Amino acid sequence: MTYDALLVLSFGGPEGEADVMPFLENVTRGRGIPRERLLEVAEHYHHFGGVSPINGQVRALIEALERELRAHGITLPIYWGNRNWHPMLEDTVRRMKDDGVRRALALVTSAFGSYSGCRQYREDVERARASVGEGAPVVEKLRLYFDHPGFAEAWIARVRDALATIEGEHARLLFTAHSVPVSMARTAPYEAQLRAMCELVARGVGTSAWELCWQSRSGPPQVPWLEPDVLDVLARMASEDRARPVVVIPIGFTSDHMEVVWDLDHEAKARADELGLRLVRAGTVGTHPAFVAGLRELVQEKIAGAPKRALTTLGVDHDPCAASCCPAPQRPSR
């Protein structure tokens, strides 16, 4: 198959005070979220001047990926489209059409399989293509890469860096990922993939003292989401052994989102300080060279038939995703 562009797909985030509420309205459209709740979440963004770190980190990733692709003789132009904020995906697909792009690969900045992290992006693409109309490029999503060796190597390096800041050898690893409704988790490989990746990373740094917890849940309280929450786990860890430090690892995120810098760096750190618990947060993979090289390998799988590398049996069978994969969750009746 011949491809003439690479499309980077991401969530998007505000880049100024005036962007915050319109962005949150985009994120929650059709979900019946009370405005009071949006104003509460908006304060998280205002704490950082209305700027989410995600867009800046996507720009850095695109620059690193452009260099990596060129170094290996790959000259695909890279486009960028977001689900919830500028550059909006529909605008990007229209520009791709105007530039003469006919068939593109899509790289999603979410590594794990779930409705919101995988299938919804495919639906976003088809919606954008339908809006652009005749001549819109065909877009083929790259496979899930949660267990690609490059992704694992980058995470192992980040955790080692965090461990190096702690005296002693007995830190506990606390992996976190964005919680999702239990109804979504039951029909997606999300939790199994996360647990497999946690095991790989823990083994890579030479420890078996790890657990997975969840963060950033939202939605009505009567709807069950994956638990336990990171704040509850920190309280338990402090009661068990306050002197033993904890490294929190946002394994479910490829870059710093607001959920990382607010929910972990702000709220979780404050809770740990209250509990007298030493907490260190590992950096996200971001533009780590091993991660960027792994993304380049995903492109080479498609354009040159390069071998598919995966560290578990859970990954490469999602290429392409099955039509029934990760169905949309049922919204609770109101």
CSV table of all heavy atoms in Angstrom, one decimal, residues 34-83:
chain,number,residue,atom,x,y,z
A,34,PRO,N,-23.3,19.3,34.3
A,34,PRO,CA,-23.7,20.6,34.8
A,34,PRO,C,-22.6,21.7,34.6
A,34,PRO,O,-21.4,21.4,34.7
A,34,PRO,CB,-23.9,20.3,36.3
A,34,PRO,CG,-24.1,18.9,36.4
A,34,PRO,CD,-23.3,18.3,35.3
A,35,ARG,N,-23.0,22.9,34.3
A,35,ARG,CA,-22.1,24.0,34.1
A,35,ARG,C,-21.2,24.2,35.3
A,35,ARG,O,-20.0,24.5,35.2
A,35,ARG,CB,-22.8,25.3,33.7
A,35,ARG,CG,-21.8,26.4,33.4
A,35,ARG,CD,-22.5,27.6,32.7
A,35,ARG,NE,-21.5,28.6,32.4
A,35,ARG,CZ,-20.7,28.6,31.4
A,35,ARG,NH1,-20.7,27.6,30.5
A,35,ARG,NH2,-19.8,29.6,31.2
A,36,GLU,N,-21.8,23.9,36.5
A,36,GLU,CA,-21.0,24.1,37.7
A,36,GLU,C,-19.8,23.2,37.8
A,36,GLU,O,-18.7,23.6,38.2
A,36,GLU,CB,-21.9,23.8,39.0
A,36,GLU,CG,-23.0,24.8,39.2
A,36,GLU,CD,-24.2,24.7,38.2
A,36,GLU,OE1,-24.3,23.6,37.6
A,36,GLU,OE2,-25.0,25.6,38.1
A,37,ARG,N,-20.0,22.0,37.2
A,37,ARG,CA,-18.9,21.0,37.2
A,37,ARG,C,-17.8,21.5,36.2
A,37,ARG,O,-16.6,21.4,36.4
A,37,ARG,CB,-19.4,19.7,36.8
A,37,ARG,CG,-18.3,18.6,36.5
A,37,ARG,CD,-17.3,18.5,37.7
A,37,ARG,NE,-16.3,17.5,37.5
A,37,ARG,CZ,-15.2,17.4,38.2
A,37,ARG,NH1,-14.9,18.2,39.2
A,37,ARG,NH2,-14.3,16.5,37.9
A,38,LEU,N,-18.2,22.1,35.0
A,38,LEU,CA,-17.3,22.6,34.0
A,38,LEU,C,-16.5,23.8,34.6
A,38,LEU,O,-15.3,23.9,34.4
A,38,LEU,CB,-18.0,23.1,32.8
A,38,LEU,CG,-18.8,22.0,32.0
A,38,LEU,CD1,-19.3,22.7,30.7
A,38,LEU,CD2,-17.9,20.8,31.7
A,39,LEU,N,-17.1,24.6,35.4
A,39,LEU,CA,-16.4,25.7,36.0
A,39,LEU,C,-15.4,25.2,37.1
A,39,LEU,O,-14.3,25.8,37.2
A,39,LEU,CB,-17.4,26.7,36.7
A,39,LEU,CG,-18.3,27.5,35.8
A,39,LEU,CD1,-19.4,28.2,36.5
A,39,LEU,CD2,-17.5,28.5,34.9
A,40,GLU,N,-15.7,24.2,37.7
A,40,GLU,CA,-14.8,23.6,38.7
A,40,GLU,C,-13.6,23.0,38.0
A,40,GLU,O,-12.4,23.3,38.4
A,40,GLU,CB,-15.5,22.5,39.5
A,40,GLU,CG,-14.6,21.7,40.5
A,40,GLU,CD,-15.4,20.6,41.1
A,40,GLU,OE1,-16.6,20.6,41.1
A,40,GLU,OE2,-14.7,19.7,41.7
A,41,VAL,N,-13.8,22.3,36.9
A,41,VAL,CA,-12.7,21.8,36.1
A,41,VAL,C,-11.9,22.9,35.5
A,41,VAL,O,-10.6,22.8,35.4
A,41,VAL,CB,-13.2,20.7,35.1
A,41,VAL,CG1,-12.0,20.3,34.2
A,41,VAL,CG2,-13.8,19.6,35.8
A,42,ALA,N,-12.6,23.9,35.0
A,42,ALA,CA,-11.9,25.1,34.4
A,42,ALA,C,-10.8,25.6,35.3
A,42,ALA,O,-9.8,26.1,34.9
A,42,ALA,CB,-12.9,26.1,34.0
A,43,GLU,N,-11.1,25.6,36.6
A,43,GLU,CA,-10.1,26.2,37.6
A,43,GLU,C,-8.8,25.4,37.5
A,43,GLU,O,-7.7,26.0,37.8
A,43,GLU,CB,-10.6,26.2,39.0
A,43,GLU,CG,-11.7,27.2,39.2
A,43,GLU,CD,-11.2,28.6,38.9
A,43,GLU,OE1,-10.2,29.0,39.3
A,43,GLU,OE2,-12.0,29.3,38.1
A,44,HIS,N,-8.8,24.1,37.2
A,44,HIS,CA,-7.5,23.4,37.0
A,44,HIS,C,-6.7,24.0,35.9
A,44,HIS,O,-5.5,24.1,36.1
A,44,HIS,CB,-7.8,21.9,36.7
A,44,HIS,CG,-8.7,21.2,37.7
A,44,HIS,ND1,-9.2,19.9,37.5
A,44,HIS,CD2,-9.1,21.6,38.9
A,44,HIS,CE1,-9.9,19.6,38.6
A,44,HIS,NE2,-9.9,20.5,39.4
A,45,TYR,N,-7.3,24.3,34.8
A,45,TYR,CA,-6.6,25.0,33.7
A,45,TYR,C,-6.2,26.4,34.0
A,45,TYR,O,-5.1,26.8,33.7
A,45,TYR,CB,-7.5,24.9,32.5
A,45,TYR,CG,-7.7,23.6,31.9
A,45,TYR,CD1,-8.8,22.8,32.3
A,45,TYR,CD2,-6.9,23.0,30.9
A,45,TYR,CE1,-9.0,21.5,31.8
A,45,TYR,CE2,-7.1,21.8,30.4
A,45,TYR,CZ,-8.1,21.0,30.9
A,45,TYR,OH,-8.3,19.7,30.4
A,46,HIS,N,-7.1,27.1,34.7
A,46,HIS,CA,-6.7,28.5,35.1
A,46,HIS,C,-5.5,28.5,36.0
A,46,HIS,O,-4.7,29.5,36.0
A,46,HIS,CB,-7.9,29.2,35.7
A,46,HIS,CG,-9.0,29.4,34.7
A,46,HIS,ND1,-8.8,29.9,33.5
A,46,HIS,CD2,-10.4,29.2,34.9
A,46,HIS,CE1,-10.0,30.0,32.8
A,46,HIS,NE2,-10.9,29.6,33.7
A,47,HIS,N,-5.3,27.5,36.8
A,47,HIS,CA,-4.2,27.4,37.7
A,47,HIS,C,-2.9,27.4,36.9
A,47,HIS,O,-1.8,27.9,37.4
A,47,HIS,CB,-4.3,26.1,38.5
A,47,HIS,CG,-3.2,25.9,39.5
A,47,HIS,ND1,-3.2,26.5,40.7
A,47,HIS,CD2,-2.0,25.2,39.4
A,47,HIS,CE1,-2.1,26.1,41.4
A,47,HIS,NE2,-1.4,25.3,40.6
A,48,PHE,N,-2.9,27.0,35.6
A,48,PHE,CA,-1.8,27.0,34.7
A,48,PHE,C,-1.9,28.0,33.6
A,48,PHE,O,-1.4,27.9,32.5
A,48,PHE,CB,-1.6,25.6,34.1
A,48,PHE,CG,-1.3,24.5,35.2
A,48,PHE,CD1,-2.3,23.8,35.7
A,48,PHE,CD2,0.0,24.3,35.6
A,48,PHE,CE1,-2.1,22.8,36.6
A,48,PHE,CE2,0.3,23.3,36.6
A,48,PHE,CZ,-0.8,22.6,37.1
A,49,GLY,N,-2.6,29.1,33.9
A,49,GLY,CA,-2.7,30.2,32.9
A,49,GLY,C,-3.6,29.8,31.7
A,49,GLY,O,-3.5,30.4,30.7
A,50,GLY,N,-4.5,28.8,31.9
A,50,GLY,CA,-5.4,28.4,30.8
A,50,GLY,C,-4.7,27.5,29.8
A,50,GLY,O,-5.3,27.3,28.7
A,51,VAL,N,-3.5,27.1,30.1
A,51,VAL,CA,-2.7,26.3,29.0
A,51,VAL,C,-2.6,24.9,29.5
A,51,VAL,O,-2.0,24.6,30.6
A,51,VAL,CB,-1.4,26.9,28.8
A,51,VAL,CG1,-0.6,26.1,27.8
A,51,VAL,CG2,-1.5,28.4,28.4
A,52,SER,N,-3.1,24.0,28.7
A,52,SER,CA,-2.8,22.5,28.9
A,52,SER,C,-1.4,22.2,28.3
A,52,SER,O,-1.1,22.7,27.2
A,52,SER,CB,-3.9,21.7,28.2
A,52,SER,OG,-3.5,20.3,28.2
A,53,PRO,N,-0.7,21.3,28.9
A,53,PRO,CA,0.6,21.0,28.3
A,53,PRO,C,0.6,20.1,27.1
A,53,PRO,O,1.5,20.0,26.4
A,53,PRO,CB,1.3,20.2,29.4
A,53,PRO,CG,0.2,19.7,30.3
A,53,PRO,CD,-0.9,20.7,30.2
A,54,ILE,N,-0.6,19.6,26.8
A,54,ILE,CA,-0.7,18.5,25.7
A,54,ILE,C,-0.3,19.0,24.4
A,54,ILE,O,0.4,18.4,23.6
A,54,ILE,CB,-2.1,17.8,25.7
A,54,ILE,CG1,-2.0,16.6,24.8
A,54,ILE,CG2,-3.2,18.8,25.4
A,54,ILE,CD1,-3.3,15.8,24.8
A,55,ASN,N,-0.8,20.2,24.0
A,55,ASN,CA,-0.5,20.7,22.6
A,55,ASN,C,0.9,20.9,22.4
A,55,ASN,O,1.5,20.6,21.3
A,55,ASN,CB,-1.3,22.0,22.3
A,55,ASN,CG,-2.8,21.7,21.8
A,55,ASN,OD1,-3.2,20.5,21.8
A,55,ASN,ND2,-3.5,22.7,21.5
A,56,GLY,N,1.6,21.6,23.4
A,56,GLY,CA,3.0,21.8,23.2
A,56,GLY,C,3.8,20.5,23.1
A,56,GLY,O,4.8,20.4,22.4
A,57,GLN,N,3.4,19.5,23.9
A,57,GLN,CA,4.1,18.2,23.8
A,57,GLN,C,3.8,17.5,22.5
A,57,GLN,O,4.7,16.7,22.0
A,57,GLN,CB,3.7,17.3,25.0
A,57,GLN,CG,4.1,18.0,26.3
A,57,GLN,CD,4.4,17.0,27.4
A,57,GLN,OE1,4.3,15.8,27.3
A,57,GLN,NE2,4.8,17.6,28.6
A,58,VAL,N,2.6,17.6,21.9
A,58,VAL,CA,2.4,17.0,20.6
A,58,VAL,C,3.3,17.7,19.6
A,58,VAL,O,3.8,17.0,18.7
A,58,VAL,CB,0.9,17.1,20.2
A,58,VAL,CG1,0.7,16.7,18.8
A,58,VAL,CG2,0.0,16.2,21.2
A,59,ARG,N,3.4,19.0,19.7
A,59,ARG,CA,4.3,19.7,18.7
A,59,ARG,C,5.7,19.2,18.8
A,59,ARG,O,6.4,18.9,17.8
A,59,ARG,CB,4.3,21.2,19.0
A,59,ARG,CG,3.0,21.9,18.6
A,59,ARG,CD,3.2,23.5,18.8
A,59,ARG,NE,1.9,24.1,18.5
A,59,ARG,CZ,1.1,24.5,19.5
A,59,ARG,NH1,1.3,24.3,20.7
A,59,ARG,NH2,-0.1,25.1,19.1
A,60,ALA,N,6.2,19.0,20.1
A,60,ALA,CA,7.5,18.4,20.3
A,60,ALA,C,7.7,17.0,19.7
A,60,ALA,O,8.7,16.7,19.1
A,60,ALA,CB,7.9,18.5,21.7
A,61,LEU,N,6.6,16.2,19.9
A,61,LEU,CA,6.6,14.8,19.4
A,61,LEU,C,6.7,14.9,17.8
A,61,LEU,O,7.4,14.1,17.2
A,61,LEU,CB,5.4,14.1,19.8
A,61,LEU,CG,5.2,12.7,19.3
A,61,LEU,CD1,6.4,11.8,19.8
A,61,LEU,CD2,3.9,12.1,19.8
A,62,ILE,N,5.9,15.7,17.2
A,62,ILE,CA,5.9,15.8,15.7
A,62,ILE,C,7.3,16.2,15.2
A,62,ILE,O,7.8,15.6,14.3
A,62,ILE,CB,4.8,16.8,15.3
A,62,ILE,CG1,3.4,16.2,15.5
A,62,ILE,CG2,5.0,17.2,13.8
A,62,ILE,CD1,2.3,17.2,15.2
A,63,GLU,N,7.9,17.2,15.9
A,63,GLU,CA,9.3,17.6,15.5
A,63,GLU,C,10.2,16.4,15.6
A,63,GLU,O,11.1,16.2,14.7
A,63,GLU,CB,9.7,18.8,16.3
A,63,GLU,CG,9.0,20.1,16.0
A,63,GLU,CD,9.4,21.2,17.0
A,63,GLU,OE1,10.3,21.0,17.8
A,63,GLU,OE2,8.8,22.3,16.9
A,64,ALA,N,10.2,15.7,16.7
A,64,ALA,CA,11.1,14.6,16.9
A,64,ALA,C,10.8,13.5,15.9
A,64,ALA,O,11.7,12.8,15.4
A,64,ALA,CB,10.9,14.0,18.3
A,65,LEU,N,9.5,13.2,15.6
A,65,LEU,CA,9.2,12.2,14.7
A,65,LEU,C,9.6,12.6,13.2
A,65,LEU,O,10.0,11.7,12.5
A,65,LEU,CB,7.7,11.9,14.7
A,65,LEU,CG,7.1,10.7,14.0
A,65,LEU,CD1,7.9,9.4,14.4
A,65,LEU,CD2,5.6,10.6,14.3
A,66,GLU,N,9.5,13.8,12.9
A,66,GLU,CA,9.9,14.3,11.6
A,66,GLU,C,11.4,14.0,11.4
A,66,GLU,O,11.9,13.5,10.3
A,66,GLU,CB,9.7,15.8,11.4
A,66,GLU,CG,8.2,16.1,11.1
A,66,GLU,CD,8.0,17.6,11.1
A,66,GLU,OE1,8.7,18.4,11.7
A,66,GLU,OE2,7.0,18.0,10.4
A,67,ARG,N,12.2,14.3,12.4
A,67,ARG,CA,13.7,14.0,12.4
A,67,ARG,C,13.9,12.5,12.2
A,67,ARG,O,14.8,12.1,11.5
A,67,ARG,CB,14.4,14.6,13.6
A,67,ARG,CG,14.4,16.1,13.6
A,67,ARG,CD,15.3,16.6,14.7
A,67,ARG,NE,14.9,16.2,16.0
A,67,ARG,CZ,14.1,16.9,16.8
A,67,ARG,NH1,13.6,18.1,16.4
A,67,ARG,NH2,13.8,16.5,18.0
A,68,GLU,N,13.2,11.7,13.0
A,68,GLU,CA,13.4,10.3,13.0
A,68,GLU,C,13.0,9.7,11.7
A,68,GLU,O,13.8,8.8,11.1
A,68,GLU,CB,12.6,9.7,14.1
A,68,GLU,CG,12.6,8.1,14.2
A,68,GLU,CD,13.9,7.6,14.7
A,68,GLU,OE1,14.7,8.4,15.3
A,68,GLU,OE2,14.2,6.4,14.6
A,69,LEU,N,11.9,10.1,11.1
A,69,LEU,CA,11.5,9.6,9.8
A,69,LEU,C,12.5,10.0,8.7
A,69,LEU,O,12.9,9.1,7.9
A,69,LEU,CB,10.2,10.1,9.4
A,69,LEU,CG,9.0,9.6,10.3
A,69,LEU,CD1,7.7,10.3,9.9
A,69,LEU,CD2,8.8,8.1,10.2
A,70,ARG,N,13.0,11.2,8.7
A,70,ARG,CA,13.9,11.7,7.7
A,70,ARG,C,15.3,10.9,7.8
A,70,ARG,O,15.9,10.5,6.8
A,70,ARG,CB,14.2,13.2,7.8
A,70,ARG,CG,13.1,14.1,7.3
A,70,ARG,CD,13.6,15.5,7.1
A,70,ARG,NE,14.2,16.1,8.3
A,70,ARG,CZ,13.5,16.8,9.2
A,70,ARG,NH1,12.2,17.0,9.0
A,70,ARG,NH2,14.1,17.3,10.2
A,71,ALA,N,15.7,10.6,9.0
A,71,ALA,CA,16.9,9.9,9.3
A,71,ALA,C,16.9,8.5,8.7
A,71,ALA,O,17.9,7.9,8.4
A,71,ALA,CB,17.3,9.8,10.7
A,72,HIS,N,15.6,8.0,8.5
A,72,HIS,CA,15.5,6.6,7.9
A,72,HIS,C,14.9,6.7,6.5
A,72,HIS,O,14.3,5.7,6.0
A,72,HIS,CB,14.6,5.8,8.9
A,72,HIS,CG,15.3,5.4,10.1
A,72,HIS,ND1,15.5,6.3,11.2
A,72,HIS,CD2,16.0,4.3,10.5
A,72,HIS,CE1,16.1,5.7,12.2
A,72,HIS,NE2,16.5,4.5,11.8
A,73,GLY,N,15.0,7.8,5.9
A,73,GLY,CA,14.6,7.9,4.5
A,73,GLY,C,13.1,8.0,4.2
A,73,GLY,O,12.7,7.7,3.1
A,74,ILE,N,12.3,8.3,5.2
A,74,ILE,CA,10.9,8.4,5.1
A,74,ILE,C,10.5,9.9,5.0
A,74,ILE,O,10.8,10.7,5.9
A,74,ILE,CB,10.2,7.8,6.3
A,74,ILE,CG1,10.6,6.3,6.4
A,74,ILE,CG2,8.7,7.9,6.1
A,74,ILE,CD1,10.1,5.6,7.7
A,75,THR,N,9.9,10.3,3.9
A,75,THR,CA,9.6,11.7,3.6
A,75,THR,C,8.1,12.1,3.7
A,75,THR,O,7.7,13.1,3.2
A,75,THR,CB,10.1,12.1,2.2
A,75,THR,OG1,9.5,11.2,1.3
A,75,THR,CG2,11.6,11.9,2.2
A,76,LEU,N,7.3,11.3,4.4
A,76,LEU,CA,5.9,11.6,4.6
A,76,LEU,C,5.7,12.9,5.3
A,76,LEU,O,6.3,13.1,6.4
A,76,LEU,CB,5.2,10.5,5.4
A,76,LEU,CG,5.1,9.1,4.8
A,76,LEU,CD1,4.4,8.2,5.8
A,76,LEU,CD2,4.4,9.1,3.4
A,77,PRO,N,4.9,13.8,4.8
A,77,PRO,CA,4.6,15.1,5.5
A,77,PRO,C,3.7,14.7,6.7
A,77,PRO,O,2.9,13.7,6.6
A,77,PRO,CB,3.8,15.9,4.5
A,77,PRO,CG,3.3,14.9,3.5
A,77,PRO,CD,4.3,13.8,3.4
A,78,ILE,N,3.8,15.4,7.8
A,78,ILE,CA,3.1,15.1,9.0
A,78,ILE,C,2.0,16.2,9.2
A,78,ILE,O,2.3,17.4,9.2
A,78,ILE,CB,4.0,15.0,10.3
A,78,ILE,CG1,5.0,13.8,10.1
A,78,ILE,CG2,3.1,14.7,11.5
A,78,ILE,CD1,5.9,13.6,11.3
A,79,TYR,N,0.8,15.8,9.4
A,79,TYR,CA,-0.3,16.7,9.7
A,79,TYR,C,-0.8,16.4,11.1
A,79,TYR,O,-0.5,15.3,11.7
A,79,TYR,CB,-1.5,16.5,8.7
A,79,TYR,CG,-1.2,16.9,7.3
A,79,TYR,CD1,-0.5,16.0,6.4
A,79,TYR,CD2,-1.7,18.1,6.8
A,79,TYR,CE1,-0.3,16.4,5.1
A,79,TYR,CE2,-1.4,18.5,5.5
A,79,TYR,CZ,-0.7,17.6,4.7
A,79,TYR,OH,-0.5,18.0,3.3
A,80,TRP,N,-1.5,17.4,11.7
A,80,TRP,CA,-1.9,17.2,13.1
A,80,TRP,C,-3.4,17.7,13.2
A,80,TRP,O,-3.7,18.8,12.8
A,80,TRP,CB,-1.0,18.1,14.0
A,80,TRP,CG,-1.4,18.2,15.4
A,80,TRP,CD1,-2.2,17.4,16.2
A,80,TRP,CD2,-1.1,19.3,16.3
A,80,TRP,NE1,-2.3,17.9,17.4
A,80,TRP,CE2,-1.6,19.0,17.5
A,80,TRP,CE3,-0.3,20.5,16.1
A,80,TRP,CZ2,-1.5,19.9,18.6
A,80,TRP,CZ3,-0.2,21.3,17.2
A,80,TRP,CH2,-0.8,21.1,18.4
A,81,GLY,N,-4.2,16.8,13.8
A,81,GLY,CA,-5.6,17.1,14.1
A,81,GLY,C,-6.0,16.7,15.5
A,81,GLY,O,-5.6,15.6,15.9
A,82,ASN,N,-6.8,17.5,16.1
A,82,ASN,CA,-7.3,17.2,17.5
A,82,ASN,C,-8.8,16.9,17.5
A,82,ASN,O,-9.6,17.4,16.6
A,82,ASN,CB,-7.1,18.4,18.4
A,82,ASN,CG,-5.6,18.5,18.8
A,82,ASN,OD1,-4.9,17.6,18.9
A,82,ASN,ND2,-5.2,19.8,19.0
A,83,ARG,N,-9.2,16.1,18.5
A,83,ARG,CA,-10.6,15.9,18.7
A,83,ARG,C,-11.4,17.1,19.3
A,83,ARG,O,-12.5,17.3,18.9
A,83,ARG,CB,-10.8,14.7,19.7
A,83,ARG,CG,-12.2,14.4,20.1
A,83,ARG,CD,-12.3,13.2,21.1
A,83,ARG,NE,-11.9,12.0,20.4
A,83,ARG,CZ,-11.6,10.9,21.0
A,83,ARG,NH1,-11.5,10.9,22.4
A,83,ARG,NH2,-11.3,9.8,20.4
